[in-house]
């Protein structure tokens, strides 16, 4: 099925309210089940998920490193077992060859097991154009074939369709009654409708979940039984597989089995795991091995690890924007995070460019990937290539212009001051509430209806924090930071839009005894430019930041996104220069976000030291990158409970992105609004009116969303919350 | 995290993880929504099969392995079909119950490894509504790696080896789990106290 342009797919996904409702429920349920399945695997194996996936990743990497040897070995063994193996480069060659095999068999009807590679090469369209009728036999694929739609998920192809739509489709096509609540009847219809096809088809087509080099076996997994029937019963079996599907041994295949089922559907193993070695007596077997960009991927170190992919779909199942728009928009033929990477190689950069800015860079995909593909970094690399290759949409160039202004600290600062003066009449506490006459229509409505813009304060934090301007805060009874020189990295966004955050951070650190300094030349860690694919700007900003932050013990920032940038992304960005990488690592080694500084760094505060007696319940949003990239656990919750004495109500989906990440909230506000709505809905579930988190971008975004939706939720940075308790705690301590 | 570790080398019924192989296997079978039965001998299997239908298909490889089974089933009152003719699918089309023999039973997952090389062997596991999978107690192994060793031992000979774990199922419509799609909707896993002294583990069945 040919894929429509991205803008059309995106608009259609937003217009279909079923997509979001169904996917949100699916993602929640999947995550719980998958986490349980992985936990029990860890217990069974006595090894961590990270160890197990590193092992499988090494197996797959080892194949790519010695690719031709394994391909030859597989071909020799499969041939010895009676298969005919053909290697092809392009989809055109694959389609022509498969068509000729079917024609040679004299078949006009073929049954198909679920195969993503057949979607990749557009096999069905090609067969139909040649007078051959392909029948999909996987229930989800069959539904989509009847509906003339493409899969929206690697494993659950029809996950975007509600049962009411499927029932209506069946009534129309099969001409009998299907009550929407009788799913069993719909499932049984697939059995009765397809049974004869399996038995009368001249050719069965399948993909492969793995190709076992040592035995020449094709591994195929399925739950319904359709896949094995497609390959086992017809007199001709044609396998189409990407050449990255190789594993050396059966034992290696079993390691894949252990992680595949659990990562796909939270099953320890699928109902059927078949090892097909050659044809059965009276059958012919053809195996078509296709490259279609895979060799090029292997040669590109930025994306080579994506060839490890075992098509489990886990990266989509945790992806917040996927949860809003589904796979037809988030991806191309391949959906989810992996689709944002491999599409560029299988279908071209133009096909890959559209969905790029849907990614919020939350890092959740990398956490659950069973072969440890560094998807967030790879997506940013493909985005850079898209920006550089000029296939980017016009909005990309507008972002580029904004980044160009932003990179100049003084120009940006002057602009923000002017904006602060102009917007002053509508400044309301932390937001700018424009009159409805301005925001009731047009682009301003799109931009503000779901998220009230932040207030632009008259004075940036850097001015307030100039020496002598701030009165000395009360000191804590115990001061773990006494004698330490701490440089405060303000973070560009909070400096100008939420100065209370860095100011509160400075107060808190001083209360704990630190000598806090605020270098005036500091600007930005480079993250916004990196997210936008403007890597040269990002590199300049990282270098400027390294120049600024020298000559002190510790660097502390209230923004953990900056730490993720300096610690993880900067060394990657600067990788062509060893000295600069070393410099970045040196800086990262003494840079902390506030949470890390107070829990794992020199600033560990004694239990109860910030307890002012207030017992109002709070809830905590865990900044997604801190959880996924910096591997932070429940550190904020523990700080609040143990050090501040505050009761914490657990937030459902606490570590899910709030929708601020990447450039999504600018480029695709509808998606960011959907993610934000899900997050605020979770806050509603806690009943708490105080939401605490520690990344300034999230805070501005959440404040705007709470205001626009009329919620009475106070969104505060951890620093603001803790600094607000210093005086009370100091007084309480003195009374004891 | 538990320090217990399943040992891939166990090929007998020795206790691992504080529970015996057979207990772990049974837990896996039940979790996969199959029915677990421990029976004494083939006559008991025949009685069990006949209780579920008046016609029973047996895989041709099983008929060759255990020729007496045909007579046992007939004695119990069943019409017996061995689909080894020209049109095996047609032969089993209306047969409600099928019996196959497993090569291995894998405790880790509750799976039965079935070798089904010929079309006759394949149609019984695919087309009949109730599938009875019979393994001997001594065919119980611990880990998926044991199944890998079995495959390895066959040295790339043509074959179709399937790890079967429960009845066929789908969750393709709104993630609603529905049992019984294209394959059997009832699976009985039978562990025989002994399948006979001549049973070679990992031996050919097809």
């Amino acid at each position: 099925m040919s894929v429509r342009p991205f803008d059309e797919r995106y608009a259609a996904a937003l217009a279909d309210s079923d997509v979001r409702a169904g996917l949100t429920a699916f993602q929640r349920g999947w995550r719980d089940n998958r986490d349980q399945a992985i936990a029990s695997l860890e217990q069974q194996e006595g090894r961590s998920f990270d160890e197990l996936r590193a092992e499988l990743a090494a197996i797959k990497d080892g194949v790519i490193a010695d690719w031709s040897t394994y391909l030859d070995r597989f071909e020799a063994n499969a041939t010895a077992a009676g298969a005919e193996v053909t290697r092809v480069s392009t989809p055109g060659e694959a389609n022509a060859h498969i068509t000729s095999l079917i024609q040679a068999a004299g078949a006009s009807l073929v049954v198909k097991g679920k195969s993503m590679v057949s979607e990749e090469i557009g096999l069905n369209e090609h067969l139909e154009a040649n007078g051959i009728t392909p029948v999909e036999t996987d229930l989800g694929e069959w539904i989509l074939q009847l509906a003339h739609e493409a899969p929206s998920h690697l494993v659950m192809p029809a996950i975007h369709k509600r049962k009411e739509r499927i029932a209506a489709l069946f009534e129309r096509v099969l001409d009998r009654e299907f009550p929407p609540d009788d799913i069993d009847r719909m499932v049984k219809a697939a059995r009765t409708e397809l049974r004869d096809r399996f038995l009368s088809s001249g050719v069965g087509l399948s993909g492969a979940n793995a190709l076992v080099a040592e035995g020449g076996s094709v591994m195929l997994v399925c739950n319904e039984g359709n896949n094995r029937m497609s390959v086992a019963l017809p007199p001709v079996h044609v396998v189409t597989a990407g050449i990255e599907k190789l594993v050396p041994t059966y034992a290696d295949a079993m390691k894949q089995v252990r992680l595949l089922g659990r990562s796909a559907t939270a099953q320890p193993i699928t109902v059927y795991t078949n090892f097909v070695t050659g044809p059965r007596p009276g059958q012919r077997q053809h195996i078509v091995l296709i490259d279609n960009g895979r060799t090029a991927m292997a040669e590109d170190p930025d994306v080579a690890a994506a060839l490890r992919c075992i098509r489990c779909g886990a990266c989509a199942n945790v992806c917040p924007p996927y949860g809003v728009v589904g796979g037809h928009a988030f991806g191309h033929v391949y959906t989810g995070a992996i689709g944002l990477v491999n599409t560029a190689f299988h279908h071209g950069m133009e096909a890959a460019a559209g969905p790029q800015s849907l990614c919020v860079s939350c890092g959740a995909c990398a956490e659950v990937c069973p072969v440890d593909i560094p998807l967030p970094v790879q997506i940013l690399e493909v985005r850079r290539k898209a920006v550089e290759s000029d296939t980017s949409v016009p909005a990309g160039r507008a972002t580029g212009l904004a980044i160009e202004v932003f990179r100049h600290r003084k120009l940006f600062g002057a602009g923000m001051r002017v904006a602060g003066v102009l917007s002053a009449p509508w400044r309301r506490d932390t937001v700018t509430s424009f009159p409805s006459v301005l925001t009731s229509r047009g682009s301003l409505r799109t931009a503000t209806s779901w998220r009230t813009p932040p207030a632009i304060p008259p004075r940036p934090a850097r001015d307030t924090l100039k020496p002598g301007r701030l009165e000395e805060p009360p000191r804590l009874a115990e001061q773990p930071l006494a004698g330490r020189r701490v440089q405060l990295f303000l973070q560009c966004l909070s400096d100008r839009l939420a100065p209370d955050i860095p100011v509160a951070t400075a107060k808190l650190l001083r209360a704990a005894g630190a000598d806090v300094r605020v270098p005036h030349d500091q600007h930005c860690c480079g993250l916004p430019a990196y997210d936008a694919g403007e890597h040269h700007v990002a590199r300049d900003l990282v270098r400027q930041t390294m120049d600024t932050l020298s000559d002190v013990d510790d660097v502390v920032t209230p923004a953990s996104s900056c730490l993720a940038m300096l610690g993880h992304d900067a060394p990657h960005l600067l990788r062509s220069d060893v000295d600069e990488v070393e410099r970045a690592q040196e800086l990262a080694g003494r840079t902390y976000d506030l949470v890390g500084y107070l829990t794992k760094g020199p600033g560990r505060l004694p239990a109860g030291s910030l307890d002012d007696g207030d017992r109002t319940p709070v809830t905590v949003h865990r900044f997604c990158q801190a959880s996924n990239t910096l591997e932070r656990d429940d550190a904020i919750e523990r700080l609040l409970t143990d050090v501040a004495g505050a009761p914490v109500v657990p937030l459902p989906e606490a570590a899910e992105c709030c929708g601020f990440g990447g450039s999504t909230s600018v480029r695709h506000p509808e998606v960011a609004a959907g993610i934000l709505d899900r997050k605020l809905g979770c806050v509603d579930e806690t009943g708490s009116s105080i939401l605490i988190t520690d990344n300034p971008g999230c805070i501005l975004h959440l404040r705007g969303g709470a205001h626009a939706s009329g919620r009475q939720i106070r969104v505060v940075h951890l620093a603001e919350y803790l600094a607000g308790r210093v005086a009370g705690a100091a007084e309480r301590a003195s009374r004891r | 995290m538990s320090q217990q570790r399943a040992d891939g080398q166990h090929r007998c019924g020795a206790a691992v993880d504080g529970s015996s192989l057979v207990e772990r296997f049974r837990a896996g079978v039940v979790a996969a929504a199959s029915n677990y039965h421990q029976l004494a001998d083939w006559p008991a299997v025949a009685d069990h099969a006949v209780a579920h239908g008046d016609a029973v298909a047996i895989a041709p490889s099983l008929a060759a392995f255990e020729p007496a089974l045909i007579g046992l089933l007939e004695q119990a009152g069943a019409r017996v079909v061995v689909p080894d003719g020209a049109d095996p699918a047609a032969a089993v089309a209306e047969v409600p119950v099928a019996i196959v023999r497993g090569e291995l039973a894998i405790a880790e997952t509750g799976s039965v490894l079935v070798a089904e090389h010929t079309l006759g062997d394949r149609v019984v596991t695919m087309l009949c509504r109730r599938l009875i999978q019979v393994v001997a107690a001594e065919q119980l192994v611990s880990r998926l790696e044991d199944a890998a060793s079995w495959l390895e031992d066959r040295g790339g000979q043509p074959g179709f080896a399937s790890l079967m774990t429960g009845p066929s199922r789908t969750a393709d419509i709104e993630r609603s789990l529905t049992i019984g799609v294209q394959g059997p909707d009832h699976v009985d896993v039978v562990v025989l106290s002994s399948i006979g002294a001549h049973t070679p583990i990992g031996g050919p069945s097809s």
Side-chain angles (χ1 to χ4, degrees), chain A residues 313-335:
Chain A
C315 57
N317 302 349
V318 295
C319 174
Y322 179 94
V324 177
V325 295
H328 288 157
F330 199 99
H332 188 69
V333 170
Y334 289 105
T335 54

Side-chain angles (χ1 to χ4, degrees), chain B residues 42-69:
Chain B
W42 285 107
V45 175
D47 288 343
H48 177 82
V50 171
H52 292 286
D54 54 4
V56 178
I58 56 178
S61 61
L62 173 56
F65 177 85
E66 192 65 41
L69 183 58

Side-chain angles (χ1 to χ4, degrees), chain A residues 349-368:
Chain A
M349 193 52 83
E350 202 170 334
Q356 279 301 321
S357 48
L358 285 172
C359 169
V360 290
S361 297
C362 69
C365 47
E367 286 304 289
V368 295

